[in-house]
Amino acid sequence: MIKTAQQTCSLSNSWRVLLLWLGIFTLFLPVAAQASSLQLKNMVLDNQAGSIMARFGIELAADTQVEDALQNGMKLKLVCEASLYEHKNVWLDSKVAGKTYISKLYFDSLSNEFVLEKPGAQIFKNKSLSILLREEWKSFVLDLGPWSTLKRGERYNLRLKVRLDRTEVPAWLKNTLFFWSWDIIPAATYQLDFTY
């Protein structure tokens, strides 16, 4: 009878330790949930003047991690890779069209502003990173080529990969350490399936 009571007591101590560890673990969950992420808004594919246009917006959720990196002197680039594929049943999907968009993002310590450089030498500045990105990343339009390349009755999918990458990492180092992620936040991939 005494042995049974000791076993029950040691078992309850094990449960207490387990519950304590679970409690400590749950304390760190909100921190992990606040990690920065790129989220897609309103992805649309349409015909404009005979061209395949991919339209979308990007939102940076919980931008403090990116803001800290920029204020510490890191330069980043937003890379959006849009690819249109014709779906094949038996063989691999064939690529119909593709386009890449790149813009640079950094912090100017002299003016104490965040700077966004878009293609075509367009420069936008703001003291608030969240306001700058909300205004400038709300709408992207990528021309994927002539609409006439699409065939009626065929299935297609638009794949969009979005990442925020470091600009100062040399190509030889990226290729040597190919298993290392150079992204500040994880890349996001989206897919839109449709039949023309």
Side-chain angles (χ1 to χ4, degrees):
M1 185 109 171
I2 295 173
K3 287 183 181 180
T4 312
Q6 285 177 336
Q7 288 174 348
T8 307
C9 184
S10 66
L11 182 63
S12 65
N13 284 339
S14 298
W15 279 105
R16 287 181 190 155
V17 171
L18 180 63
L19 289 174
L20 178 67
W21 278 109
L22 285 174
I24 291 171
F25 177 72
T26 55
L27 287 176
F28 292 105
L29 283 179
V31 175
Q34 293 178 359
S36 297
S37 65
L38 293 170
Q39 298 174 352
L40 185 70
K41 298 186 318 184
N42 305 328
M43 188 160 110
V44 176
L45 188 74
D46 65 356
N47 181 352
Q48 183 179 11
S51 294
I52 305 169
M53 294 293 190
R55 300 174 191 277
F56 57 93
I58 298 172
E59 186 176 278
L60 179 63
D63 59 358
T64 54
Q65 182 181 3
V66 175
E67 189 172 332
D68 290 343
L70 292 170
Q71 287 177 335
N72 289 328
M74 193 174 293
K75 294 184 178 181
L76 304 175
K77 64 180 175 183
L78 174 72
V79 181
C80 303
E81 298 171 342
S83 302
L84 184 63
Y85 289 89
E86 182 180 348
H87 180 71
K88 304 285 186 181
N89 289 328
V90 178
W91 202 245
L92 296 173
D93 294 350
S94 62
K95 189 173 181 178
V96 176
K99 185 83 167 197
T100 302
Y101 172 90
I102 299 174
S103 68
K104 296 177 184 175
L105 186 62
Y106 59 92
F107 182 73
D108 183 4
S109 57
L110 292 175
S111 65
N112 202 26
E113 292 180 314
F114 294 96
V115 180
L116 178 69
E117 288 184 15
K118 287 187 172 181
Q122 295 178 324
I123 297 176
F124 302 92
K125 297 181 179 184
N126 199 311
K127 291 198 181 289
S128 169
L129 178 64
S130 58
I131 292 172
L132 177 66
L133 298 183
R134 185 175 44 233
E135 290 299 314
E136 301 306 323
W137 286 3
K138 66 182 173 187
S139 179
F140 293 92
V141 179
L142 299 180
D143 186 348
L144 299 177
W147 190 265
S148 59
T149 56
L150 301 180
K151 302 172 195 165
R152 286 219 178 264
E154 294 296 325
R155 293 187 323 180
Y156 295 92
N157 58 49
L158 174 65
R159 299 174 193 168
L160 180 65
K161 183 175 183 181
V162 181
R163 69 181 190 274
L164 200 56
D165 203 1
R166 300 178 193 195
T167 60
E168 72 274 359
V169 180
W172 67 268
L173 187 59
K174 279 188 176 182
N175 293 337
T176 305
L177 300 174
F178 62 89
F179 52 86
W180 189 268
S181 174
W182 298 101
D183 299 337
I184 294 299
I185 53 178
T189 305
Y190 302 95
Q191 183 168 317
L192 175 67
D193 297 317
F194 66 97
T195 302
Y196 175 56

